[in-house]
Amino acid sequence: MTWMIPGFLTLLGFAALALSQKKHHKAVMRAFPTSGRVRAWQATGWCALLFSTAWCIQTFGIGYGLVVETALLNVAGVIVALTLTYRYGGPSSSSRTE
Amino acid sequence: MTNTPETGGFHGAFRQSMSWLHTWVGLVLGVVLYFMFVTGTTGYAHYEITRWMTPEQGVKVDAAVSRPADEMVDAALALTQERLPGAPLIYVTLPIEGREDTGYLNIYAEPPPAPDGAEAAEPFEAQIDPATLREIAPTDVRETGGGEALYVMHYDLHYIPFESITLFGVSLPAWPTLIVGVATMFMLVAIVTGIVVHKKIFADFFTFRPGKGQRSWLDAHNLSSVLALPFMIMITYSGLIMYAYDYMPTVKAAAYGTGDALDSVRFDCDAYNYGCAKREPTGEAAPLAPLGPMIARTEAEFPNDAIKWIDIYNVGDRAVTVDVWPSGSESFGAYPYITFDGTTGEVIEVNRGKEGNPVGTTGDVLLALHEGLFAGPMLRWLYLLTGAVGAAMVATGLVLWSAKRRQKLKATEKADFGLEFVERTNVGIIAGLLIAVAAYFWANRLLPVGMEGRADWEVNVMFVTWAAMLAHAALRPARKAWVEQWVIATLAYGLIPILNALTTDIHLAATILAGDWVLASFDLSMIGLAVFFALTARKAAKKASMALWPTNVAPARTRAMEPAE
């Protein structure tokens, strides 16, 4: 649990921040986001990242906690980016069917 | 950011010159940096690697078999007394659960100063089995460099002699330290210039568009560097700071003296928070008090930690002091310790590490961040992954250099020598080094036990393999060389668990059944790496229109004919 929660939160946070970007939203949701949606994804993303930071500091102490959080951010970012390639909706592959 | 003109104006010119610097610094130092990232990253698992490379230790579930700390230390002192009588300086490392646990009690003792003209004796080094308190003979456990030799390469560069040059009475850093320092300094330059050059850090934060040639390599390079940027800055900066006193020797010389006049006790204490209460030997003999009470006193002071290190200075002299270090699990690298008067057993000083001097503590914390010394298993996995991302960043940067130039060539144009050279050496550097590391593990299992200079030969095998891979890449067209070397890497890593099962009894089935996850995770990681390299090989084969298997001949197959996901 000590690792699951901040790990999940960083993944969620980065995934939400990715979805707040037009091109990723289009690729995943097949439509450009409305400005309200953008703000909602941004809020979700930043809140999740803040919560995970807070959780890490609370659990591991300020020093160790910040290291853990940074490490989780590194890895979560890579995971989110690689997951997005699964449905990268670039111009050449936009007609791809499932 | 977006309205900055591509060329012209101050910003354009500035960005262009930064881009030039980034490109060429990266290309020239890429080899050293890639080597440092790959071998350095293994350091986060160097204990696990050493366990695997000494299969004679067998399967272990817990470390509860150790004798009490004072019995172990007494055995270590008795052995040292027998083998190197009169040793004035003895370091003992106790095997306790966690990082840097070799599974043995380690002794290092310095020889007494030699009488005039005579040659000084060799330092005494030995390992003791914590359960039986018996010395480990070389025939018990194969001689190996282990995980330590592998990660130490990233700063001692192995073959380059560790000799320092003296200039105007000030000793400059040793050659490897100097080379590594230059590479690290330029790594910082590459990081900063890379940030300047990268136009859309936030817009392209998660962007990775595979299958688009040069664009994909740029994406991969950006992705690996931006997402791991905090790690990159930390690892580079802390690596540089670690040798700050070597790189700026005059500062140390001015404040602490130089040569024979160097006040090393004060320097070690100020810079590393280490040996602060060490005293000058008096020349008057005195016996060492029993260590049991000193250990007990330290355990009482730091109830959450087991005793990890014991340093005894001026053994046999009235001025003998004993530093007892707990494992410092809560100290973030700035380890606390207690100094005892070795003749009476009284406390001289309780050094609380963190609350010690700020300079030493800053250095300790940076060092700990660099080495992940404080990290538990989970965080070390993250360190490993991030280190691998760092290696990937250097590798993709190297490939990007040639991909960019290849893309610019017109269909009829032939690549010039420079491009061909970089393309081919890239294969030998990037895939070749990974194969060489696998060869290091193969050598550990296949070189005869008891062979003269076995540990050295393990490393020689690694570098001979790397040289062979560089030669192979030089002789083959780059696209084919990529495929072939990724296939070799797949086999080299994938067969390690099988080789292990054939040559030892710590095979995967045994380790998993016994629940020894340290050993099991090594074999499983090898399989994981093999899978990753296999996928890479498949990708490279597609690009080179090569069939990996003769039965799978379908060179004309196009993307459209592939089954939909």
Side-chain angles (χ1 to χ4, degrees), chain B residues 334-413:
Chain B
Y335 298 106
Y337 62 94
I338 301 183
T339 305
F340 295 91
D341 183 315
T343 53
T344 61
E346 274 163 29
V347 175
I348 298 180
E349 185 193 39
V350 179
N351 187 314
R352 297 204 168 271
K354 247 192 289 204
E355 289 120 56
N357 71 75
V359 176
T361 304
T362 308
D364 280 348
V365 170
L366 280 173
L367 179 75
L369 273 175
H370 188 95
E371 299 188 345
L373 286 176
F374 54 88
M378 191 68 196
L379 184 55
R380 273 197 294 131
W381 273 109
L382 295 179
Y383 259 111
L384 271 171
L385 287 174
T386 316
V389 172
M393 177 195 69
V394 183
T396 50
L398 282 170
V399 174
L400 181 59
W401 189 95
S402 58
K404 215 172 188 169
R405 276 149 192 84
R406 176 63 70 183
Q407 198 126 328
K408 271 190 194 150
L409 287 181
K410 299 190 186 77
T412 50
E413 242 175 323

Side-chain angles (χ1 to χ4, degrees), chain B residues 296-317:
Chain B
R297 170 77 176 80
T298 312
E299 280 170 340
E301 187 79 31
F302 303 97
N304 298 331
D305 289 352
I307 302 302
K308 178 89 196 238
W309 300 280
I310 292 175
D311 303 341
I312 312 174
Y313 301 103
N314 303 318
V315 183
D317 193 279

Side-chain angles (χ1 to χ4, degrees), chain A residues 3 21 23 64 74 88 96, chain B residues 202 204 207 209 227 376 565:
Chain A
W3 285 86
Q21 293 184 316
K23 61 182 166 198
Y64 197 100
N74 287 344
Y88 167 61
R96 227 159 87 185
Chain B
F202 294 105
D204 278 353
T207 304
R209 286 156 286 188
L227 290 174
E565 289 167 14

Side-chain angles (χ1 to χ4, degrees), chain B residues 79-149:
Chain B
L79 182 69
T80 312
Q81 186 53 38
E82 184 193 316
R83 304 280 292 280
L84 186 69
L89 173 68
I90 304 175
Y91 294 133
V92 179
T93 309
L94 297 169
I96 59 168
E97 190 104 28
R99 186 77 198 278
E100 293 189 89
D101 176 8
T102 54
Y104 300 124
L105 181 135
N106 285 270
I107 311 169
Y108 174 88
E110 256 175 29
D116 283 338
E119 207 174 309
E122 288 284 306
F124 170 63
E125 286 179 81
Q127 295 188 310
I128 290 180
D129 186 303
T132 61
L133 299 185
R134 213 168 47 84
E135 189 194 355
I136 304 291
T139 47
D140 292 341
V141 176
R142 66 188 58 199
E143 187 198 331
T144 177
E148 189 166 326

Side-chain angles (χ1 to χ4, degrees), chain B residues 509-527:
Chain B
T511 51
I512 290 181
L513 281 178
D516 187 340
W517 290 104
V518 168
L519 287 177
S521 61
F522 184 95
D523 276 351
L524 291 173
S525 304
M526 293 300 116
I527 296 173

Side-chain angles (χ1 to χ4, degrees), chain A residues 3 14 17-18 21 23-24 63-64 67-68 70-72 74-75 77-78 80-82 84-86 88 92 96 98, chain B residues 202-210 212 223 227-228 230-231 332 369 374-376 378-379 382-383 385-386 559 565:
Chain A
W3 285 86
F14 269 155
L17 285 179
Q21 293 184 316
K23 61 182 166 198
H24 299 309
Y64 197 100
V67 178
V68 168
T70 312
L72 284 173
N74 287 344
V75 175
V78 174
V80 168
L82 291 181
L84 284 169
T85 63
Y86 174 65
Y88 167 61
S92 63
R96 227 159 87 185
E98 288 223 357
Chain B
F202 294 105
D204 278 353
F205 201 80
F206 302 105
T207 304
F208 181 45
R209 286 156 286 188
K212 296 213 182 313
L223 197 68
L227 290 174
F231 174 81
F332 220 122
L369 273 175
F374 54 88
M378 191 68 196
L379 184 55
L382 295 179
Y383 259 111
L385 287 174
T386 316
R559 222 183 139 71
E565 289 167 14

